Amino acid sequence: VPTNWLLALAPDAYLTMCLAEEAMFTREFQSAQGLEASANGMLSEVLNMDMIGGSGGATHYIRGSTP
C-alpha cells in the first residue's frame, strides 16, 4: 500500500531519487548526478500528466439557469 502520492504515481522516480541520495552518501557524485537528472525527468512527466489529467481536457457544462 503506497504511503504517499509519489509512491502511488511514480514509484520508479521515488526509487531513483533514493538511489541518487545513496550515491551522494557514498561519494559517487557522477552517478548521483545522473540518477537525480533521471528522477527529475520522471517527476516532470508525472506533474505534466497531473496538469493535463486534472480535467482530462473535457469541457464542463453546468445545467440550469445562472444568476
Side-chain angles (χ1 to χ4, degrees):
V1 175
T3 56
N4 62 45
W5 68 270
L6 184 56
L7 279 175
L9 293 177
D12 53 341
Y14 193 94
L15 176 61
T16 304
M17 193 56 80
C18 289
L19 292 172
E21 289 296 318
E22 181 271 335
M24 288 291 290
F25 183 78
T26 58
R27 299 189 174 280
E28 296 173 22
F29 299 117
Q30 276 189 309
S31 295
Q33 188 175 18
L35 288 164
E36 187 174 353
S38 180
N40 285 335
M42 292 177 212
L43 290 174
S44 291
E45 288 180 26
V46 169
L47 294 175
N48 286 335
M49 284 188 318
D50 187 48
M51 287 181 190
I52 293 169
S55 65
T59 304
H60 300 282
Y61 296 98
I62 300 173
R63 295 185 181 180
S65 61
T66 56

